[in-house]
Amino acid sequence: MKLELLESLRRSRAQVLAALDGVSEYDRRRPLVASGTNLLGLVKHLAGEEHGYLGESLGRTPLLRPTWFRDDPYEEQDMWASPDESTDYITGVYRELSAHSDQVVLSLDLDSPAHVAHWEKHETTMGYLLFTMATETAQHAGHATALRHLVTQSAR
């Protein structure tokens, strides 16, 4: 089950990154919905989720701390990319944190304990967090596909 979930997560990660292919820098950053979310913002958001759920919450905090992190995670603005955050930086962070997550997942059992500080019920398991990341990433992969479609449709 663990390997199947991890493979699902990997496929969704690839789909998110593929949504950037062939899209101009402007369109990667352009807000296309009322929330201001953009394609790079989705990658940025997911990088933070990887860091938190499949790193920090499992006691395996990655060495890499993204520049957009704040002391209070509720103050982070992670659904869009700011002008000083390059595509290469954001996608590089995402790839590095994803690789760290993969190593953590492969080193632990599904029932390994986890602690998510901002959840009402803090205690959980690595398996639940892996499932959460797989579903969250799949959901955002769908968002990325929809945003990419909006970009390509507006270019016509």
Side-chain angles (χ1 to χ4, degrees), residues 2 6 9-10 13 46-66 69 91-108 126 129-130 133:
K2 177 172 77 170
L6 184 56
L9 174 57
R10 288 173 173 163
R13 288 174 183 152
L46 287 168
E49 299 283 294
E50 295 272 355
H51 188 283
Y53 290 142
L54 296 179
E56 252 177 20
S57 295
L58 292 161
R60 310 274 176 103
T61 302
L63 294 176
L64 175 63
R65 181 176 165 87
F69 275 20
T91 58
V93 166
Y94 185 50
R95 286 184 174 100
E96 187 171 331
L97 292 174
S98 295
H100 179 268
S101 295
D102 287 0
Q103 290 174 341
V104 170
V105 167
L106 291 171
S107 72
L108 297 172
M126 189 281 290
L129 293 178
L130 177 57
M133 275 307 306

Side-chain angles (χ1 to χ4, degrees), residues 15-16 19 32-33 37-39 42 45-46 79 135-150:
Q15 184 181 347
V16 168
L32 295 163
V33 292
T37 300
N38 60 38
L39 285 167
L42 289 172
H45 171 71
L46 287 168
M79 291 304 276
T135 57
E136 172 103 358
T137 305
Q139 179 181 13
H140 288 312
H143 296 152
T145 300
L147 289 175
R148 181 185 171 86
H149 181 71
L150 288 173

Side-chain angles (χ1 to χ4, degrees), residues 53 57 74 113-125 128-129 132:
Y53 290 142
S57 295
Y74 293 103
H115 176 88
V116 182
H118 64 277
W119 285 5
E120 186 175 326
K121 181 180 175 247
H122 302 296
E123 305 310 316
T124 189
T125 64
Y128 188 79
L129 293 178
T132 298

Side-chain angles (χ1 to χ4, degrees), residues 24-33 36-40 147 150-155:
S24 71
E25 190 68 24
Y26 171 79
D27 284 332
R28 290 174 179 177
R29 297 169 177 281
R30 185 163 53 124
L32 295 163
V33 292
T37 300
N38 60 38
L39 285 167
L40 274 178
L147 289 175
L150 288 173
V151 165
T152 58
Q153 290 301 309
S154 68

